[in-house]
């Protein structure tokens, strides 16, 4: 499937966005962390992240609700802000910045880059695609993150995706299950 452009919006369409199709996703996953579950009111969600320069928002003036604290009141990791539509309440995207060491490790920044952080934006498959068949391969979730905080037994899923105890970019992460092709 060839996609000319990726477009998404909040529920009421007050906030719309496009993503450059030539962008390379930094990460596509199913997230099970307690913070995101609370922000979405769901047992998990699917997300993908791109460099901030690849994400273009229309109606940015409408994005007044930016939450930069965790559920326990502590500052969010890496300066993350969860951005919501003030009209319908949809969580539209996250703004954040990867520390240089993490971005270099991922091959997204060069050692000689003078920036200390790589600006990134994450959004959600459900805001862009109507059904799984619409998702181009490079944008499909490649792993499960924060399985250690999951509400259901993720390790019993036989979807062939890698399963991480935390995020692959967080110290202390363990790969609980390697990626493999599901049995037919």
């Amino acid at each position: 499937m060839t996609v000319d452009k990726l477009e998404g919006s909040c529920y009421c369409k007050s906030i719309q966005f496009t993503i450059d199709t030539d962008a390379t996703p930094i990460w596509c996953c199913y997230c099970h962390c307690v913070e995101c579950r609370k922000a979405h009111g769901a047992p998990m969600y699917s997300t993908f992240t791109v460099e901030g320069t690849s994400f273009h928002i229309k109606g940015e003036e409408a994005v007044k609700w930016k939450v930069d604290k965790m559920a326990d009141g502590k500052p969010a990791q890496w300066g993350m802000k969860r951005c919501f539509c003030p009209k319908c309440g949809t969580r539209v995207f996250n703004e954040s910045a990867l520390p240089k060491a993490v971005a270099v490790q991922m091959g997204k920044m060069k050692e000689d880059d003078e920036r200390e952080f790589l600006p990134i934006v994450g959004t959600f498959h459900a805001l862009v695609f109507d059904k799984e068949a619409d998702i181009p391969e490079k944008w499909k979730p490649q792993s499960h993150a924060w399985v250690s905080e999951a509400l259901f037994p993720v390790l019993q899923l036989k979807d062939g995706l890698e399963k991480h105890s935390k995020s692959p970019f967080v110290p202390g992460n363990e790969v609980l299950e390697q990626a493999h092709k599901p049995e037919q």
Side-chain angles (χ1 to χ4, degrees):
M1 171 183 193
T2 304
V3 176
D4 295 329
K5 59 184 170 177
L6 296 179
E7 297 178 307
S9 71
C10 64
Y11 181 75
C12 72
K13 298 197 182 336
S14 293
I15 300 173
Q16 299 178 21
F17 58 87
T18 59
I19 298 166
D20 299 338
T21 53
D22 60 348
T24 301
I26 293 172
W27 191 31
C28 302
C29 78
Y30 294 107
C31 186
H32 300 271
C33 81
V34 69
E35 296 294 330
C36 294
R37 290 194 335 255
K38 286 181 182 274
H40 281 269
M44 67 172 219
Y45 74 99
S46 62
T47 182
F48 58 93
T49 305
V50 296
E51 286 190 43
T53 56
S54 299
F55 186 86
H56 312 283
I57 192 155
K58 301 174 206 167
E60 188 167 7
E61 66 283 349
V63 184
K64 303 287 187 211
W65 296 353
K66 292 188 177 185
V67 180
D68 63 354
K69 301 276 191 245
M70 303 300 269
D72 61 7
K74 294 179 183 170
Q77 184 177 19
W78 299 336
M80 183 168 69
K81 293 182 178 88
R82 291 178 176 90
C83 304
F84 299 82
C85 174
K87 291 182 182 173
C88 65
T90 301
R91 180 177 172 194
V92 184
F93 62 96
N94 300 325
E95 295 174 336
S96 190
L98 288 177
K100 182 177 181 175
V102 174
V104 168
Q105 170 193 340
M106 295 172 63
K108 302 299 178 185
M109 262 177 111
K110 297 193 182 322
E111 276 291 342
D112 61 356
D113 194 312
E114 294 187 16
R115 298 175 296 173
E116 292 298 317
F117 294 92
L118 176 68
I120 60 173
V121 174
T123 193
F124 315 102
H125 290 91
L127 301 182
V128 178
F129 305 104
D130 290 332
K131 55 188 179 295
E132 195 273 338
D134 293 342
I135 305 174
E137 197 61 37
K138 79 174 186 177
W139 299 100
K140 289 184 179 183
Q142 301 151 358
S143 63
H144 290 268
W146 294 100
V147 171
S148 60
E149 297 183 3
L151 284 179
F152 59 92
V154 178
L155 292 174
Q156 291 180 15
L157 292 176
K158 301 301 178 202
D159 58 9
L161 301 179
E162 206 166 68
K163 299 186 177 66
H164 296 267
S165 62
K166 298 180 180 180
S167 159
F169 318 115
V170 173
N173 176 62
E174 289 180 66
V175 176
L176 302 174
E177 186 175 306
Q178 295 290 331
H180 65 278
K181 297 266 187 213
E183 295 176 20
Q184 300 289 329

